[in-house]
Amino acid sequence: MKTVSVMHGQPYDVVIVGSGPSGATYARILHEEAPQLRVLMVEAGPLLSEQAGLHVKNLADPQARAAAQLASQGPVTSLSPESATPGPGRPGTFLLRRDEFAPNAGMPAAAMSSNVGGMGAHWTCACPRPGASERITFLDDDLLDAAFLEAERLLSVTSEAFEDAPFAAEVRRRLDGEFQRRGPAAIQPMPLAVQKHPDGTVTWSGTDVVLGPLGAAETRGDRFELRDHTLCQRVVHDDGHVTGAELKDLTTGAVSIVNAPVVVVAADALRTPQLLFASGIRPRALGRYLNDQPQVISAVRLPPDVVEATTVGAARNSGVSWVPYTDEEPFHGQVMQLDASPIPLAEDDNVVPGSIIGLGWFCATETVEENRVEFDENPDHYGMPRMSIHYNLTWKDLRVIDEAKEAVTRAGKALGTFLDDRPPFLLPAGSSLHYQGSVRMGQHDDGRSVCGPDSQVWGTAGLYVAGNGVIPTSTACNPTLTSVALAVLGARSIVDRIQ
């Protein structure tokens, strides 16, 4: 039997569960707009660096970077790194199926990270705005656009960091000639969360950039506390109101309850509904409408005459171009040069920087209630309810994927020569890491959503959800900017509520 110690009184105004970009957004906005509030942030994983939430790509030492990625790969590696070995997934993540207690039907590549900063310590930093039907129509356009501007400020988003990357202009010229897009859907540099320095080097935005002064212990002050290796086991609530959170120190096993009138659950699209389920908060839509973005990839080499005619010099940075989503072509393309590509490229040591191009097309899929993450009373490695994922593509999804393969083929032929004889291929479901919809936002409490437009859970005052799981629409664009924008709106609603 576990021993629970109760901290009496009202030590915190807000508890934030999860330290990724969306949880950090709540902390930052509350700090800026209501600095008198006492905020506690808890994270089940470890602190990877002195600067909380630092992107591991900014760690210059390869061994330090590898160690940080390994420590992020779940409860086994974060608590016993000396006995851990790299997993089969993307560095810094662990597959759900690695848990022997987690059946995983339909999404074999489902993965997550467990560390301070969440996926914000490992992501590609792509921050496109949603377009056309990707946008949330029941939110006021001006309000949403203002939230996007604020999200871009928090993430330090720019489209200009790699304008001088080798061949970037030529890549976009060739893509434009093939796709002939105009207006907001035109071929353009990908907006990225990155800061470029005068010497040409870049700093990738991790969650530390969102946290701002809260990311460093010496600048936090006494109104914000961050605890790593701390698992929230349950949101405590009574008569439809949040009263606090039950926390477990994973290093000692001690369990305590902290009191707070507001709890924000920003664990990720799989673990946020898991915590609500464990807390006995189970609206009909919880875990349902789970949405992935099927990912079609390939790689090409620019023609020799283009490479030979261009002076590259000592270029350090790779270009990233963007083929935006449209309702007529419901997918979006990331065209990533050389080391920015998410897939293995050439093994030739003499490859000219920027001349090898990775093509990744993300597809929008239908929002289907039956696609879901379910939970039962059997424990996972953290002692939380075991997950099982049920996910299938519709006939319309399969048609969109085929159209995306054709688009990648067109893009590849316009750019150069494919690296091998394989046609563009679909990665296993879950590879995108862009899961959405599991705690989706809605305009009305009609059983088809978990939270309202302010991200507050229906029927539980003071409980907010955050992250990609809140996004209710079918999207193809990278979701982080949208989830941060929604977190801005949610945080400001808390400020209005408390003040």
Side-chain angles (χ1 to χ4, degrees):
M1 180 179 295
K2 65 184 179 182
T3 300
V4 179
S5 63
V6 180
M7 297 177 63
H8 295 284
Q10 194 79 11
Y12 298 100
D13 297 294
V14 181
V15 173
I16 301 172
V17 181
S19 62
S22 295
T25 297
Y26 273 84
R28 178 73 175 275
I29 294 296
L30 293 174
H31 174 73
E32 290 182 346
E33 301 187 10
Q36 78 280 7
L37 298 180
R38 290 203 64 201
V39 178
L40 170 65
M41 174 180 281
V42 298
E43 168 59 54
L47 184 68
L48 301 179
S49 59
E50 290 185 8
Q51 187 74 14
L54 183 74
H55 198 304
V56 299
K57 197 171 181 179
N58 297 326
L59 295 172
D61 180 6
Q63 291 184 328
R65 189 182 315 123
Q69 291 169 332
L70 188 61
S72 305
Q73 292 176 187
V76 176
T77 59
S78 65
L79 294 173
S80 303
E82 66 281 352
S83 62
T85 56
R90 191 177 302 179
T93 72
F94 60 102
L95 295 174
L96 177 60
R97 69 183 181 190
R98 286 181 62 189
D99 185 343
E100 62 180 337
F101 300 110
N104 196 19
M107 198 177 281
M112 58 196 83
S113 293
S114 188
N115 54 270
V116 171
M119 198 65 74
H122 310 284
W123 66 315
T124 62
C125 297
C127 288
R129 288 195 187 192
S133 61
E134 291 182 303
R135 288 176 64 93
I136 303 171
T137 56
F138 58 79
L139 293 179
D140 178 80
D141 275 344
D142 291 339
L143 181 70
L144 187 57
D145 285 337
F148 278 124
L149 280 174
E150 183 70 350
E152 288 162 348
R153 176 185 76 90
L154 293 172
L155 289 161
S156 191
V157 175
T158 177
S159 297
E160 301 174 356
F162 299 139
E163 281 190 326
D164 59 348
F167 314 114
E170 177 66 13
V171 166
R172 286 192 280 275
R173 186 189 70 79
R174 287 170 174 253
L175 290 172
D176 185 63
E178 176 61 35
F179 292 98
Q180 297 184 349
R181 300 284 197 83
R182 297 294 179 265
I187 309 300
Q188 56 196 277
M190 174 66 78
L192 295 169
V194 64
Q195 300 169 61
K196 187 173 182 181
H197 306 295
D199 64 355
T201 60
V202 298
T203 300
W204 297 92
S205 293
T207 306
D208 63 318
V209 173
V210 181
L211 285 171
L214 303 177
E218 62 270 18
T219 59
R220 283 178 197 156
D222 60 357
R223 312 305 293 177
F224 177 77
E225 181 183 349
L226 171 62
R227 299 184 195 172
D228 67 344
H229 287 309
T230 301
L231 175 72
C232 182
Q233 300 185 131
R234 182 169 61 97
V235 176
V236 184
H237 55 100
D238 181 54
D239 195 26
H241 292 78
V242 161
T243 60
E246 181 181 294
L247 308 177
K248 180 179 181 180
D249 185 326
L250 295 178
T251 59
T252 66
V255 178
S256 63
I257 293 177
V258 297
N259 296 324
V262 175
V263 173
V264 179
V265 184
D268 64 31
L270 300 178
R271 288 175 288 188
T272 291
Q274 179 189 49
L275 178 55
L276 267 61
F277 182 91
S279 306
I281 301 168
R282 302 174 183 178
R284 171 178 170 77
L286 186 70
R288 296 178 180 270
Y289 302 96
L290 179 65
N291 209 357
D292 185 28
Q293 294 178 347
Q295 188 175 359
V296 175
I297 65 170
S298 190
V300 298
R301 186 190 302 269
L302 287 174
D305 60 322
V306 172
V307 175
E308 292 168 2
T310 304
T311 301
V312 174
R316 293 188 180 94
N317 302 319
S318 299
V320 184
S321 299
W322 176 29
V323 183
Y325 169 100
T326 68
D327 288 341
E328 294 72 31
E329 294 182 301
F331 32 76
H332 101 126
Q334 288 183 226
V335 182
M336 309 176 76
Q337 293 176 245
L338 202 60
D339 65 319
S341 173
I343 59 174
L345 301 177
E347 297 180 355
D348 184 353
D349 291 335
N350 297 316
V351 168
V352 175
S355 65
I356 303 295
I357 317 254
L359 305 171
W361 258 239
F362 293 90
C363 303
T365 57
E366 293 190 280
T367 53
V368 178
E369 183 178 0
E370 290 73 24
N371 286 344
R372 66 199 185 276
V373 53
E374 288 187 338
F375 311 98
D376 59 45
E377 303 302 334
N378 295 305
D380 64 10
H381 278 305
Y382 282 113
M384 299 295 287
R386 180 181 64 173
M387 301 183 196
S388 58
I389 292 179
H390 304 268
Y391 182 81
N392 291 287
L393 298 171
T394 69
W395 67 267
K396 182 178 179 181
D397 298 336
L398 295 175
R399 186 182 67 189
V400 169
I401 290 168
D402 285 341
E403 292 172 355
K405 290 179 179 179
E406 292 176 4
V408 171
T409 300
R410 289 168 54 201
K413 290 180 177 179
L415 290 172
T417 306
F418 288 98
L419 292 190
D420 55 39
D421 295 330
R422 289 183 299 174
F425 60 94
L426 179 68
L427 293 178
S431 297
S432 74
L433 305 178
H434 293 173
Y435 324 130
Q436 301 167 51
S438 57
V439 287
R440 70 200 304 250
M441 176 183 287
Q443 189 174 13
H444 306 289
D445 184 7
D446 57 4
R448 295 182 295 175
S449 59
V450 172
C451 66
D454 61 354
S455 296
Q456 188 169 198
V457 173
W458 299 118
T460 308
L463 177 59
Y464 292 74
V465 285
N468 297 341
V470 175
I471 300 171
T473 52
S474 174
T475 71
C477 71
N478 307 67
T480 300
L481 184 74
T482 301
S483 62
V484 168
L486 297 179
V488 168
L489 298 178
R492 287 177 173 161
S493 75
I494 293 176
V495 173
D496 293 341
R497 165 194 172 92
I498 290 182
Q499 291 185 334

